[in-house]
Amino acid sequence: MDDIVLKLAVIGAAGIGAQWLAWRLHLPAIVLLLAAGFAAGPATGFLDPAADFGTAYRPMVSIAVAIILFEGGLTLNYAEIRDTSTAVRRIIMYAGPLTWGMAAFAAHHIGGLSWPTAAVLGAILVVTGPTVIIPLLRQAQLDARPASLLRWEAIVNDPIGALFAVVAFEVIMVYIGLHEADNLFVLIVMGAVVAVGGGWAVGRLLVWSFVRGHVPEYLKAPVLLATVVAAYAATNMVLEEAGLLTVTVMGVVLANSRIASLTDMRRFKETVTTLLVSGIFIILTASLSLEDIRSLDWRAAAFVATLLLIIRPIAIMLATIGSGATLQERILTSWIAPRGVVAVAVSGLFGTLLADIGVADAGRMVAFSFAVVVTTIVLHGFTLSPLARLLKLKKATRPGILIVGGSRWSTALAKKLTEAEVPVMLADQNWNHLAEARLASIPVYFGEVLSENAHHVIDPKHFSSLIATGDNDAYNALVCTDFGPELGRGNVFQIGRIDEKARQSLSFTLGGRALTKEPVSFHDLREKLLQGWTFQLTRLTEEYGWDAYESSRPEGALILLWIKPSGAIVFAATTANTPGPNDRVLSFAMPKDEARAEAASKTARKAEATPAAKTAKDPTPLPKGDETDEGKTQS
């Protein structure tokens, strides 16, 4: 027991450690997970999952794959597929069967596998794993269309590839006389109907129960998780691995429903999925034996090369003719097809089943699958971003800022950031508040940023920061709280935020950081704008450094941020560092000439305020506040 606990702890630590290291080094996380699994398994023998976990090993992997596919379905929203629906549909309907047939032919004639093993392997390699493609898309920063194309294909094709493998296996069983041919068609059709219909029905039932309040808020995520496992197991009783299709359909149904708490549930599922992907990749890689690896010869290498360089491009290019996808998108999709957890898990399952019925080379199927998985993960992981850049399919890499609130002050800020070539979007639910920004050709979002539609239209990945600039501090805090998990809580800001040290009764998880070191309210900023304050962008040099810049600022100037030569944005309120040469500093201050005039006016008022002057001019002085206001108006 202690040995199993230790190994589980090592799997967890190695998985999350690989994810963190990948984040720090900007590397594909899956590559490091594969390396960790190889080190724990074949290299050292520390892990032997089949022996360590016994009969629980296969069910454990299967349930994890089901949860991963369900979470993938939760990311598929119909709104984002409108432009690529034809291409996605054709890839699933035509490219999948084409890949199956050509991969099986190549596995037999090039890879040297028997027809039974080749047929099942060809079906399995239809899949393109979401566990791999989604982290790669997160790092590559693709445009919306190609990213949507790859994500939908990966998630929908995974259960379909598993079903293809079931069909191939059942045909083999009929061929060798273990199953009746009459029952084959009925079994497959019934399984597909139960999978799709059952997934839709269970998804709608969950939506109804959540919307009507039949499940308390704190139980929604646990109920969802338990229902996924139950639906997967129930469908598998009708047709092996059809449960993967059921849970994917459930995820899509929920993703396109109007559930207020769906965002929180999705975040919970993302956390669970990250843990599962990390652990499962290490476990499956560790399950390889050195004999499996040694069985890979030049014929296996030739098969993998044929799959990547010939079969996949032919299938995609033929399937997407006239689909509306651009040539660049078709080329990218033809190359990017990494396989992942589902391919390895399903190949392990059917490899065992084929071996049980006497297929001699069934064990080689797992090795071939791993060869494809490792090759595609490494090649596609390191080439996706450069290829997308070459094909001009990457979105703007410069970090942008989402500004919520269309006041005159925020519009002036958006204009100055646009002049500095910082991508900006201004959001407000009042059309008139966006008029000036629209005339200045600044991208705008008209509507409520907290709505479901906004989360589909406004892609948080386009922005590195958010500034809430409304006149309601509570609403600003709500916006920052909502976008905090997407952008990072250190990257959401609001005006008028109380000082961090003074937040005694307010939870630190609510709201955003203060935009300025000395918090300034909406009304103060509006008054300063009316008094003539402007946004000023100043480039520092070796000769004109930070100290000289600070001393030249008018009194009360607000330093908001500075832009590094690389385009990175540093907010002044978040750092103790100072900008350096070639940094451009954005401030909000009175222009220098007006500042000098105001300083002279203050000096004159001080002189007039001396006892002698007051006696000579007016024995009844104005109250101090009125005098200050009068001076401001004159300036």
Side-chain angles (χ1 to χ4, degrees), residues 487-506:
L487 301 177
R489 297 199 179 274
N491 299 320
V492 289
F493 301 85
Q494 64 183 96
I495 60 174
R497 182 65 165 172
I498 60 175
D499 184 69
E500 298 288 329
K501 295 180 180 179
R503 291 195 294 172
Q504 298 175 355
S505 60
L506 188 62

Side-chain angles (χ1 to χ4, degrees), residues 119-140:
V120 176
L121 178 63
I124 293 171
L125 294 180
V126 168
V127 307
T128 55
T131 56
V132 183
I133 197 65
I134 290 175
L136 292 183
L137 292 177
R138 189 181 299 122
Q139 291 179 338

Side-chain angles (χ1 to χ4, degrees), residues 55-103:
T55 56
Y57 170 54
R58 291 297 175 191
M60 181 176 64
V61 172
S62 298
I63 291 173
V65 170
I67 295 172
I68 291 167
L69 281 182
F70 172 74
E71 195 276 331
L74 281 178
T75 67
L76 299 181
N77 192 279
Y78 297 141
E80 70 173 20
I81 200 178
R82 289 170 184 162
D83 295 335
T84 57
S85 59
T86 303
V88 170
R89 187 167 58 250
R90 290 190 179 183
I91 288 174
I92 293 168
M93 294 176 62
Y94 305 133
L98 280 172
T99 301
W100 181 8
M102 289 189 289

